[in-house]
Amino acid sequence: MTEAVGTSGGLLSECGLPSSQMMKLLSADFTTTDDVKDMKPSELSQATGLSLKECVEVLRTASNSHHPSPVDMLQIYQEGSELPQIVTFCKALDTLLGGGIPLQAITEVSGMPGVGKTQVCLQACVSVQLPKSVGGVGGEAVYVDTEGSFTVKRLKDMASCAVHHVGTIGGVAEDVSGFTIESIMKGVHYFRCQNCVEVLAVVKNIPKLMLVHPNIRLLVLDSVSFHFRHDFPDARDRAKLLRTVTKELIQPAVTHKMAVLVTNHMTTNVKEKGSATLVPALGETWGHCPTLRLNLSWCGPTRVAALTKAPHCQNSSAYFQVSIGGLRDVSDNTQPSTAGNLQHEPLNKKRKIVESNDR
């Protein structure tokens, strides 16, 4: 079985379009077929000033210029199995995720305030920098903060514990002296965004940022819902912009083998007969965008993570705790009585950093 994947877009100037149309397209910064391939005629018309009829012809011509080449499933499988994952320092949570936070995917973490969404993001920023010699990714992180919840001290605390832990791992053949608190802090590139326009600008600029920092392997958006819920009360406008943001998030994730980690708020979904439940915000349109959906909640005094959407492992739950050093497992004697009902998928890969977490 094969799957067609698009090649990089060609130049619109080579598609044989009339010069009058090309002038308007270039003036609006549309230069390649990839720039227009996902647009509707009405959207292209508004952006360029071309008539709807002209836009239909432009989109048809651009679409015909693509010549996708097939990729066999064995190649895709082999490439996917070779990709590392970002461990969380919590065995139960890593097992739940099938080994950790996956690259080339969007992972959503939702939950009520104070349940640990930002803590998961901070831990990921540290964990993505774990040296490859101990099973890490050896990358850097971009943190897009929309709420002001990022805390430098918490990042430093987690970094300190991670450095100490890596330093105590036995049998490491390669030198890990470069993995320091300073290197971790330097490896997190922080952006504070005050509105949706700034969020979109940062996300669209990721490919350019990677020219300067080619080792970026994690993009954190904390949170995706804060500005979109307040700046766009109209559901249709919000859905349209969310599709644009999703496209801009998944492109660098796939192209540069990055992990995208986003947080989301909870909202009340009122059903028939007055019943109501808490669900992740932004509605069904956004619900199709993340590859994985992880919902955090409380079970008494204990935090629990529920995997509600994943293409590679079954939906289940896992307990975890937030310590000074970051995410950790919950000891058996502090787990709720329902812990025996939790089902976990076995890890396909064992990492030194995970195996030695209890040392």
Side-chain angles (χ1 to χ4, degrees), residues 96-97 292-294 305-310 313-317:
L96 179 68
L97 295 171
L292 289 82
R293 305 193 82 180
L294 193 67
L307 187 65
T308 61
K309 176 185 177 183
C313 52
Q314 82 178 55
N315 294 350
S316 186
S317 303

Side-chain angles (χ1 to χ4, degrees), residues 102 104-110 224 242 246 249-250 260-264 280-294 308-311:
Q104 293 188 321
I106 299 177
T107 301
E108 177 202 64
V109 180
S110 61
V224 68
L242 280 172
T246 302
L249 288 174
I250 199 63
V260 177
L261 183 62
V262 302
T263 65
N264 194 2
L282 301 179
E284 293 183 2
T285 300
W286 165 254
H288 296 290
C289 299
T291 313
L292 289 82
R293 305 193 82 180
L294 193 67
T308 61
K309 176 185 177 183

Side-chain angles (χ1 to χ4, degrees), residues 238-273:
R238 184 169 64 233
K240 179 180 177 180
L241 189 56
L242 280 172
R243 286 194 294 268
T244 302
V245 171
T246 302
K247 175 186 173 183
E248 296 297 337
L249 288 174
I250 199 63
Q251 281 184 343
V254 174
T255 304
H256 301 289
K257 298 181 180 180
M258 293 170 49
V260 177
L261 183 62
V262 302
T263 65
N264 194 2
H265 294 166
M266 302 295 287
T267 188
T268 303
N269 181 26
V270 180
K271 300 181 179 179
E272 296 180 359
K273 299 181 181 180

Side-chain angles (χ1 to χ4, degrees), residues 17 95 127 139 199 217 233 235 242 270 278 283 286 297 332:
L17 294 170
T95 301
S127 298
V199 172
R217 292 296 178 268
L242 280 172
V270 180
L278 286 174
W286 165 254
S297 60
D332 293 337

Side-chain angles (χ1 to χ4, degrees), residues 192-266:
R192 178 71 170 97
C193 296
Q194 305 289 343
N195 52 56
C196 290
V197 175
E198 292 183 0
V199 172
L200 189 56
V202 171
V203 173
K204 288 177 71 69
N205 194 54
I206 293 298
K208 293 183 179 179
L209 182 63
M210 292 199 67
L211 296 177
V212 183
H213 303 283
N215 289 329
I216 293 174
R217 292 296 178 268
L218 173 67
L219 170 60
V220 175
L221 178 53
D222 184 21
S223 70
V224 68
S225 53
F226 185 74
H227 291 311
F228 290 97
R229 293 179 70 188
H230 296 88
D231 297 355
F232 294 89
D234 185 270
R236 290 175 298 180
D237 292 339
R238 184 169 64 233
K240 179 180 177 180
L241 189 56
L242 280 172
R243 286 194 294 268
T244 302
V245 171
T246 302
K247 175 186 173 183
E248 296 297 337
L249 288 174
I250 199 63
Q251 281 184 343
V254 174
T255 304
H256 301 289
K257 298 181 180 180
M258 293 170 49
V260 177
L261 183 62
V262 302
T263 65
N264 194 2
H265 294 166
M266 302 295 287

Side-chain angles (χ1 to χ4, degrees), residues 30-56:
F30 293 103
T31 57
T32 69
T33 55
D34 277 347
D35 293 337
V36 300
K37 69 177 182 179
D38 292 325
M39 297 189 72
K40 298 178 181 178
S42 58
E43 295 173 341
L44 186 60
S45 177
Q46 184 177 3
T48 61
L50 293 169
S51 67
L52 287 175
K53 183 178 180 180
E54 289 175 319
C55 290
V56 170

